Amino acid sequence: MENTQALARTPLYNLHVELGARMVPFAGYDMPVQYPSGVLKEHAHTRSQAGLFDVSHMGQVRLSGDGAAAALETLMPVDIIDLPVGMQRYAVFTNEQGGILDDLMVSNAGDHLFVVVNAACKQQDVAHLQKQIGGRCKVEELADRALLALQGPAASAVMARLAPETSKMIFMNTGKVTLAGAECFISRSGYTGEDGFEISVPNDNAEELARLLLAQPEVAPIGLGARDSLRLEAGLCLYGHDMDAGTTPVEASLSWALSKARRADGARAGGYPGADIILRQLAEGAARKRVGLLVKDRMPVREGAELVDAEGRPVGKVTSGGFGPTVGGPVAMGYVDAGQAKLGTALQAIVRGKPVPVEVAKTPFTPQRYYRG
């Protein structure tokens, strides 16, 4: 019981309880893992209509001052200086070994940068920002704001009904809109592979906005269980599982996120922690790679399962795995030696001492449907 009392609660806690959610500890918060309809129905609803996720446990940070973009660039292999106003970009903080300290979203809000970091990392991320660049720009954690995610093919119709100007937004656009009488900062992206929006709203207006969204006929509340199966099918990483401080962006198959301007022949090459290692891996390849794995059996393959080749030699490990409801079978992701990373490579995952056949496969496992205009 003492452990439960120490958990933080988002501004939507009472609403989750009212909706019959099963609450579980997650990243120091009491969070809804599922609602009465169950994970499979929640997953299917998000893929076919629109799901509402409470992601208020994530960290929201404002960086302001003339030098904010240049300062933030010193911590990541990403182009922030040339990020256009009204756009956001996926980024990673790196350490001196080129490992990933966290992955995050950075938006250019005009007079400041708006940064969203993972819940489990937010205290260390804010401390990292304060220590490394606090002398060059103002770093403020926005603890007074909640964060909602509306995801699914009907998300655009719902948002257009409540804030017509959102219909002009495309993937990775950001902007300010008024919802439930509150000024909200929104982005058009998502962690499900579907079209959708993230909405940063003052804590005091969060429940009213959530109720307004849930009152729309297409929208249902979705918990962490379906959030995980949706992002796995979309081939997206979960920090602390599919990448960590011992994994470089190149190993994590995130080379697409490493901006041209920060590469070896770019305008502002290097200049971030671990640059030498990352640039070398970009040029020569990494010894291991994150890959998708299609499971050739009904048996789900979970995180931690060892991957072996045809001769039974260990070649890697599973980092995320489970049933993919849209795919109609088990899917997984993991790391394998570079020589085993070719699409179609047959491997085996060891589950409870028994080999389960898997095949290296392209991700996402289900087509991404972000709206690009």
Side-chain angles (χ1 to χ4, degrees), residues 59-81:
Q60 302 180 61
V61 185
R62 183 194 287 127
L63 303 179
S64 43
D66 292 343
L72 188 57
E73 271 202 9
T74 65
L75 304 180
M76 54 182 56
V78 179
D79 177 2
I80 305 297
I81 288 174

Side-chain angles (χ1 to χ4, degrees), residues 98-100 242-249 251-252 288 335:
I100 301 170
D242 306 297
M243 54 182 166
D244 54 30
T247 310
T248 71
E251 291 171 333
R288 63 184 189 126
Y335 283 79

Side-chain angles (χ1 to χ4, degrees), residues 161-303:
R161 197 178 299 144
L162 302 176
E165 63 270 41
T166 59
S167 62
K168 295 189 181 73
M169 295 175 74
I170 60 168
F171 183 58
M172 293 302 225
N173 276 172
T174 63
K176 283 180 183 165
V177 299
T178 301
L179 291 163
E183 186 181 78
C184 299
F185 184 77
I186 66 167
S187 55
R188 189 165 191 170
S189 62
Y191 193 51
T192 57
E194 299 293 334
D195 182 23
F197 298 83
E198 294 76 42
I199 308 163
S200 173
V201 55
N203 286 338
D204 295 345
N205 303 87
E207 187 176 320
E208 188 186 346
L209 175 57
R211 288 184 187 277
L212 174 65
L213 290 165
L214 290 169
Q216 309 307 308
E218 304 92 335
V219 183
I222 312 294
L224 291 173
R227 183 172 166 83
D228 196 50
S229 57
L230 289 157
R231 71 93 197 165
L232 177 57
E233 285 187 338
L236 299 170
C237 293
L238 177 60
Y239 189 80
H241 300 260
D242 306 297
M243 54 182 166
D244 54 30
T247 310
T248 71
V250 182
E251 291 171 333
S253 297
L254 297 175
S255 297
W256 56 266
L258 309 180
S259 302
K260 195 165 182 282
R262 312 300 306 283
R263 294 187 177 218
D265 53 354
R268 295 185 305 285
Y272 53 86
D276 294 353
I277 293 164
I278 291 170
L279 293 174
R280 188 171 69 241
Q281 288 185 349
L282 278 172
E284 300 170 8
R288 63 184 189 126
K289 291 290 278 186
R290 177 176 65 90
V291 296
L293 298 163
L294 269 181
V295 183
K296 302 295 199 174
D297 198 313
R298 298 304 291 170
M299 166 86 70
V301 170
R302 307 275 179 202
E303 179 181 356

Side-chain angles (χ1 to χ4, degrees), residues 111-165:
D111 61 348
H112 68 276
L113 296 174
F114 176 68
V115 177
V116 178
V117 299
N118 282 304
C121 303
K122 69 178 169 185
Q123 282 160 319
Q124 73 190 43
D125 286 349
V126 172
H128 181 60
L129 287 164
Q130 294 277 19
K131 183 182 172 192
Q132 302 298 334
I133 63 172
R136 297 177 60 184
C137 63
K138 191 175 175 189
V139 179
E140 301 166 88
E141 186 179 356
L142 305 176
D144 59 343
R145 296 186 79 82
L147 194 64
L148 307 183
L150 184 70
Q151 296 282 297
S156 57
V158 171
M159 287 296 284
R161 197 178 299 144
L162 302 176
E165 63 270 41

